[in-house]
Amino acid sequence: MTLPDSSTTSAEYVAAVERVQVALIQAARQFRTMDRAGINQSARSTLAAIVKFGPLSMSELAAHEGVDPASVSRTVRKLEESGEVVRRTSDADGRVNLIEVSESGRELFLRSRRQLTEIILDRISTLSPEQMATIIALGDGLELLVSATGPHPS
């Protein structure tokens, strides 16, 4: 294991990573209860993936979400029934259906993200500038963590 600097011991590094894990789990749980846009977490996550990466196949969505294809299929079916996503045939391979976000799905996702952002900003508004800088740096670090550990659609 490579340590971030020579002053950090292996045990301290492991303990810090474990604290990050616990904080991520707690934050995810809190964020799920904060969402006020009227969509559940799986739908929000599915929309987020499609908004970020563009049209995806069902297998790409399942890999990205880290869930079995049947679960993604149920979520996509519900989003399709409500008009938030549409299926289209891939230009590259006519046997593959791609899932893309509709304009109403994009608006729903953005509204959900905006509402959650407002709630979080309200809750952290009492933090010092140094604490806010730590949170901003954490965002950069979490993006690196996700890139290093998670599957990504091709």
Side-chain angles (χ1 to χ4, degrees), residues 1-19:
M1 168 183 344
T2 304
L3 301 177
D5 63 50
S6 59
S7 66
T8 306
T9 68
S10 181
E12 290 171 333
Y13 190 55
V14 169
V17 170
E18 289 172 346
R19 283 182 41 232

Side-chain angles (χ1 to χ4, degrees), residues 58-95:
M58 294 293 269
S59 59
E60 289 171 325
L61 266 172
H64 181 272
E65 295 298 299
V67 298
D68 69 80
S71 178
V72 169
S73 182
R74 283 189 298 275
T75 300
V76 167
R77 187 173 44 254
K78 289 177 186 175
L79 287 168
E80 192 174 24
E81 288 170 359
S82 64
E84 311 307 340
V85 299
V86 294
R87 293 179 199 246
R88 72 169 171 81
T89 304
S90 168
D91 294 334
D93 184 345
R95 300 168 297 169

